[in-house]
Amino acid sequence: MSDRRVVITGMGVITPLGLTVEEYWSSLIEGRSGIGRITRFDVSEFTTQIGGELKGFDPEDYGIDSRKVRRSDRFVLYVMAASKEAMRSSGLDMNREDPFRCGVVLGSGIGGLMTVEEEHKKMLQRGPRRVSPFLIPAMIADMGPGEVAIQHNLKGINYAVVSACASSAHALGDSMKMIKAGAADVVVSGGSEASITPLGLAGFCSAKALSTRNDEPEKASRPYDAQRDGFVMAEGAAVLILEELEHAKKRGADILAEIAGYGATADAYHITAPQPEGLSGTEALKTAVADSGLNPEDIDYFNAHGTSTPLNDKIETQVIKNVFGEHARRLAVSSTKSMTGHLLGAAGAAEAVACIKSIKEGIVHPTINYDNPDPECDLDYVPNTAREMKVRAAVSNSLGFGGHNASLVLRKFG
């Protein structure tokens, strides 16, 4: 079964830059920021008051009924919406498929945090009997894949991946391996996050992980810039349809790209800080490139984790040098998070979508807010303006609290 190849046949996103793939992509190419002052709750007492909130999202626009909306956490609604776009764009007709050969693997770093906060407050104020019977199904991270399976009649393997900000990258890699092994023909994969809540914001503020550039929200996420001061929390979802190549060809699917390589490791070092030399990140990236059957010099574009934190950007730069050597200087490297903010558990999948669009369209989005070069970050970060270039293959790189590393290689199909 190892000769089975895995391709992408559909994509859907819900992001601060747009609620469709095309809106998201055009915003990225324009170098537009999706960051602003948080409006969902009073942020006046928080050290960070900015984030990447969704704009104009209405779950009922996606055919999600009002009862489901009331009983679900936002992270579930986001991924249901993104999966609808992905399934539509794939052209999959589940009436013609064996549902037991079609699975769902989705990631979320945090799950239903807003539901937990609201129901905990209700219990303290009104007693335990007033807690919603939907608390548990609304908050648990596996409810994303559960609801998407119900939505589309996908009866194959189904589970959630929880590995902080690497969650959706791990989900995509696991899904690829599953199809290669013959365990499925189609897997709906990606991730979702909805952690812009009072408790979520307070927690990241207390950890001093976030940018405090509150007066200039659009300039707050500035990966690789010498004046970066932390990441910007964002929300949304991204879903990709992974499909075995012969299955896709047989039904005449439009193949967007091939997902060809995956590597995953653990730092085994610290719960939040990356290992200083990037040793495990290096191993994950080396493994992904080797798994793809490509040589390092075949990679044209590197979509970095690029969080805009002092340690991540410096160490990830070193990882790129460790793996690519002299070719690192010729790589185009950019950070989607400079515009979206950090979608946490959904970031890897959203950034994989950006890689696929670069491969298809021959253009690489910029790293915006790159104004002050950092001597320790000295690669080509595609500063501030999109670049037309041929992209034969791209890497999407993801890291997560807990020391998780996940690297994916996507390549042009054909």
Side-chain angles (χ1 to χ4, degrees), residues 39-269:
T39 60
R40 192 167 291 133
F41 52 91
D42 181 6
V43 293
S44 58
E45 294 187 15
F46 292 80
T47 53
T48 292
Q49 301 170 358
I50 57 176
E53 291 181 309
L54 295 187
K55 304 163 188 73
F57 175 73
D58 183 347
E60 294 189 37
D61 290 344
Y62 300 86
I64 305 171
D65 69 60
S66 56
R67 278 194 311 170
K68 179 74 71 181
V69 173
R70 289 195 303 273
R71 295 172 177 179
S72 301
D73 193 88
R74 289 197 312 270
F75 91 99
V76 173
L77 300 175
Y78 295 166
V79 82
M80 290 178 71
S83 72
K84 184 163 187 178
E85 182 190 8
M87 287 291 283
R88 179 195 56 75
S89 72
S90 76
L92 268 170
D93 180 354
M94 286 306 299
N95 292 318
R96 296 173 175 266
E97 299 294 332
D98 177 354
F100 292 101
R101 298 289 299 167
C102 302
V104 188
V105 179
L106 297 169
S108 182
I110 297 177
L113 188 58
M114 178 58 86
T115 297
V116 174
E117 290 181 46
E118 290 176 346
E119 296 302 321
H120 182 249
K121 186 188 300 180
K122 192 186 296 183
M123 185 182 74
L124 293 179
Q125 293 176 348
R126 301 165 64 188
R129 295 187 180 185
R130 301 311 297 265
V131 169
S132 170
F134 298 102
L135 164 62
I136 302 303
M139 64 171 271
I140 53 180
D142 75 304
M143 201 48 59
E147 287 283 17
V148 168
I150 294 167
Q151 186 182 20
H152 300 289
N153 192 37
L154 306 163
K155 296 182 178 179
I157 195 159
N158 184 288
Y159 65 91
V161 176
V162 181
S163 54
C165 304
S167 296
S168 57
H170 279 132
L172 290 170
D174 286 0
S175 300
M176 181 194 82
K177 293 296 187 186
M178 204 176 297
I179 294 171
K180 277 184 171 289
D185 295 322
V186 176
V187 181
V188 178
S189 189
S192 182
E193 207 75 87
S195 55
I196 300 180
T197 72
L199 188 60
L201 183 61
F204 279 118
C205 285
S206 292
K208 301 192 184 308
L210 301 179
S211 171
T212 56
R213 200 182 286 257
N214 296 317
D215 295 335
E216 298 179 298
E218 294 183 350
K219 296 182 178 181
S221 185
R222 42 197 319 111
Y224 307 104
D225 185 89
Q227 295 182 11
R228 64 190 184 276
D229 71 326
F231 76 83
V232 178
M233 188 160 51
E235 61 180 355
V239 172
L240 294 86
I241 309 301
L242 277 60
E243 194 167 347
E244 193 273 326
L245 173 59
E246 296 306 319
H247 183 277
K249 287 165 68 173
K250 185 176 180 181
R251 68 178 187 85
D254 179 19
I255 295 172
L256 306 176
E258 181 175 359
I259 180 165
Y262 171 47
T265 61
D267 282 353
Y269 172 74

Side-chain angles (χ1 to χ4, degrees), residues 321-345:
K321 293 176 183 176
N322 291 347
V323 175
F324 291 100
E326 284 302 310
H327 184 61
R329 305 287 173 189
R330 296 187 289 274
L331 270 178
V333 180
S334 67
S335 171
T336 307
K337 294 179 183 73
S338 65
M339 292 171 274
T340 59
H342 196 342
L343 272 67
L344 305 179

Side-chain angles (χ1 to χ4, degrees), residues 11 13 15-34 85 336 339-340 350 353-358 361 363-366 368 384-387:
M11 304 188 293
V13 298
T15 79
L17 293 178
L19 305 181
T20 67
V21 169
E22 290 310 317
E23 287 176 0
Y24 168 63
W25 178 241
S26 63
S27 296
L28 287 176
I29 294 307
E30 291 165 12
R32 187 166 66 83
S33 173
E85 182 190 8
T336 307
M339 292 171 274
T340 59
V353 169
C355 289
I356 292 164
K357 291 297 287 183
S358 289
E361 306 294 336
I363 187 167
V364 168
H365 75 65
I368 68 167
N384 302 315
T385 305
R387 179 182 304 165

